[in-house]
Amino acid sequence: MRSLADQTVAELGGTWSILNRQKRDHVLLEELLQQLEATSGAEQDAVLNRIARLVFPHAFAEESVLWPELRRVLPDGDALTLQVEKEHQEVNELWVALEKETSPSQRRLLIDRLAAVLREDVRDEEDVLLPRFQDAVDVRRLRQLGVAWEAVRRTAPTRPHPVVSRRPPGNALAALPLTVLDRSRDVLDRVAQDGPEQARVQASAASRTLARAAGRVEHWAPLRRGERPETHRD
């Protein structure tokens, strides 16, 4: 098996292949992680925001579209995808901890661990899971999945939700309410950052209200359906 990192776009199945789309995001993620490690303060927070908007929709689309297909075509697909789901779960939990942490030294430790887990996730996918998947399906199917994955990625939640199931049907049920809440918060947070002073205060308060709503949605029992014990969080 050849790592995706060593393959051209044509070898991966073309522009719309899910393998090429995965690799494209992974390349961008590495660029952002390097920026993250070289920045601090408000500049670092801006890079973290960009990473979140890349990572969480990407992972949600994987868990909704790609991993169910991989489990279907590979005899050991369940174990392979569970390892990556555990990494996704740790990323969610690290991100929540990072949002609450104020100590610079503790934030640095959390950021270092976050970067390490994200890089481990990329290597597991590009070196093991996706080459195995590439050998099991044809190019036409890779392109079909690429279209489906891209559609889900563009309409997926954009923030960490560690309580929600990493597998269908729970994550599929979570998609609509959490996407609406997350993307509404994204708009409000931009206003809170760059808008007029009065609008900033109102937007910040509204974003916090939606954050509390998202927390309540996460604990809705049907959104836990399909969860494996290894990625379960109370």
Side-chain angles (χ1 to χ4, degrees):
M1 295 186 300
R2 290 176 62 206
S3 170
L4 267 60
D6 300 326
Q7 298 187 46
T8 65
V9 172
E11 290 173 322
L12 294 172
T15 302
W16 276 100
S17 166
I18 194 166
L19 303 181
N20 180 62
R21 303 234 149 216
Q22 292 280 109
K23 181 179 176 180
R24 175 203 61 188
D25 276 9
H26 292 166
V27 170
L28 177 55
L29 174 61
E30 180 56 33
E31 293 173 357
L32 290 171
L33 289 175
Q34 291 180 21
Q35 293 177 31
L36 183 69
E37 292 165 344
T39 56
S40 60
E43 188 178 358
Q44 187 177 74
D45 290 340
V47 178
L48 277 169
N49 186 64
R50 291 183 62 195
I51 292 174
R53 304 304 170 264
L54 172 69
V55 164
F56 293 115
H58 176 106
F60 189 91
E62 284 180 338
E63 293 167 355
S64 301
V65 174
L66 182 52
W67 298 160
E69 182 75 1
L70 196 146
R71 287 192 287 269
R72 186 182 69 82
V73 301
L74 294 181
D76 56 346
D78 186 81
L80 290 170
T81 56
L82 179 59
Q83 175 58 34
V84 174
E85 288 166 344
K86 288 161 67 176
E87 293 164 354
H88 289 182
Q89 181 67 17
E90 184 174 1
V91 168
N92 275 258
E93 294 180 1
L94 285 167
W95 210 284
V96 170
L98 188 59
E99 290 176 335
K100 297 176 181 178
E101 185 58 64
T102 57
S103 165
S105 60
Q106 290 302 311
R107 282 181 61 84
R108 183 74 262 171
L109 289 174
L110 288 169
I111 286 172
D112 289 347
R113 178 58 187 165
L114 177 66
V117 176
L118 286 170
R119 285 178 169 131
E120 180 182 355
D121 180 66
V122 169
R123 294 277 54 84
D124 284 343
E125 292 179 10
E126 289 197 357
D127 297 346
V128 182
L129 272 76
L130 297 178
R132 289 277 308 279
F133 186 65
Q134 185 178 30
D135 286 344
V137 298
D138 58 26
V139 171
R140 180 171 177 271
R141 185 57 179 156
L142 291 175
R143 292 172 180 169
Q144 289 174 339
L145 289 168
V147 172
W149 181 86
E150 188 67 34
V152 172
R153 188 184 72 87
R154 289 176 180 269
T155 56
T158 59
R159 294 172 184 258
H161 297 289
V163 180
V164 173
S165 174
R166 308 250 70 83
R167 295 193 177 195
N171 60 356
L173 293 171
L176 178 59
L178 291 179
T179 295
V180 171
L181 290 166
D182 285 359
R183 292 180 181 264
S184 296
R185 287 187 67 198
D186 292 345
V187 173
L188 290 167
D189 287 351
R190 285 195 292 270
V191 175
Q193 180 71 28
D194 302 321
E197 184 174 354
Q198 185 176 0
R200 290 183 186 184
V201 174
Q202 294 172 341
S204 182
S207 179
R208 289 194 297 271
T209 299
L210 293 184
R212 290 192 292 271
R216 290 192 293 270
V217 169
E218 281 190 26
H219 287 84
W220 187 38
L223 306 192
R224 308 303 303 273
R225 291 172 58 193
E227 184 76 279
R228 287 290 298 268
E230 294 87 344
T231 58
H232 176 84
R233 173 173 170 171
D234 291 329

